[in-house]
Amino acid sequence: MSQNTSGQSSSTNYSNAQNSSSTSGGNNENQVLTRSRLQDLVREVDPNEQLDEEVEELLLQIADDFIESTVNASCQLAKHRQATALDVTDVQMHLERQWNMWIPGFGTDELRPYKRAPVTEAHKQRMALIRKQMKKF
């Protein structure tokens, strides 16, 4: 992917990104995750583990599909906001909304708001019972 020369180091021309992701089908030179890198990752998790060739192929294909779908969806977000460049926030928004993933260290440095878990009715009843018991003492 070529970097945009408009001064934004975190943006890429999204038409180039779409073209490169759609033409990469099966070319090992364009793969982000190579077979040797996958084997390195497996060794980091368990030095004694060895993946079958079919499993490696499947994992590489899943990684390629994930990257391609992320790039395409991010480009659609950039196109929707009528931008000529793909920005980190487009990728972040897609990953967070579709995959519930947040990659720290990229984009804005603002703190994400803490989302409280929804309180169930059973929890409310238990808390009411505890408060009632506490009042007796």
Side-chain angles (χ1 to χ4, degrees):
M1 292 182 227
S2 63
Q3 285 293 328
N4 189 1
T5 58
S6 66
Q8 294 177 332
S9 62
S10 64
S11 63
T12 303
N13 186 320
Y14 69 80
S15 62
N16 289 342
Q18 283 182 325
N19 291 338
S20 68
S21 69
S22 64
T23 60
S24 67
N27 190 353
N28 289 340
E29 294 175 1
N30 292 333
Q31 283 186 326
V32 175
L33 181 63
T34 62
R35 185 177 301 272
S36 62
R37 181 63 183 134
L38 177 62
Q39 291 169 351
D40 291 343
L41 290 170
V42 170
R43 273 189 236 110
E44 283 181 28
V45 174
D46 185 359
N48 299 324
E49 186 63 40
Q50 192 70 10
L51 296 178
D52 292 337
E53 189 171 324
E54 295 87 20
V55 174
E56 285 181 358
E57 284 296 321
L58 181 64
L59 289 174
L60 290 171
Q61 184 63 41
I62 290 170
D64 284 343
D65 291 346
F66 174 76
I67 291 167
E68 185 174 344
S69 69
T70 300
V71 168
N72 287 333
S74 301
C75 288
Q76 290 297 320
L77 287 171
K79 192 174 183 179
H80 176 73
R81 61 182 178 86
Q82 299 174 348
T84 59
L86 178 62
D87 197 37
V88 168
T89 55
D90 299 318
V91 178
Q92 279 183 327
M93 182 177 287
H94 170 72
L95 290 176
E96 186 171 7
R97 298 226 173 140
Q98 294 294 16
W99 297 96
N100 199 24
M101 293 172 66
W102 180 260
I103 311 299
F106 292 99
T108 60
D109 291 332
E110 67 186 37
L111 294 174
R112 293 179 63 213
Y114 175 72
K115 295 179 184 177
R116 293 185 68 174
V119 179
T120 63
E121 189 60 37
H123 178 71
K124 289 178 185 176
Q125 290 174 355
R126 285 191 299 268
M127 291 303 292
L129 183 61
I130 291 170
R131 286 188 193 104
K132 185 177 176 182
Q133 292 296 326
M134 295 295 286
K135 286 182 181 179
K136 288 183 179 179
F137 296 109

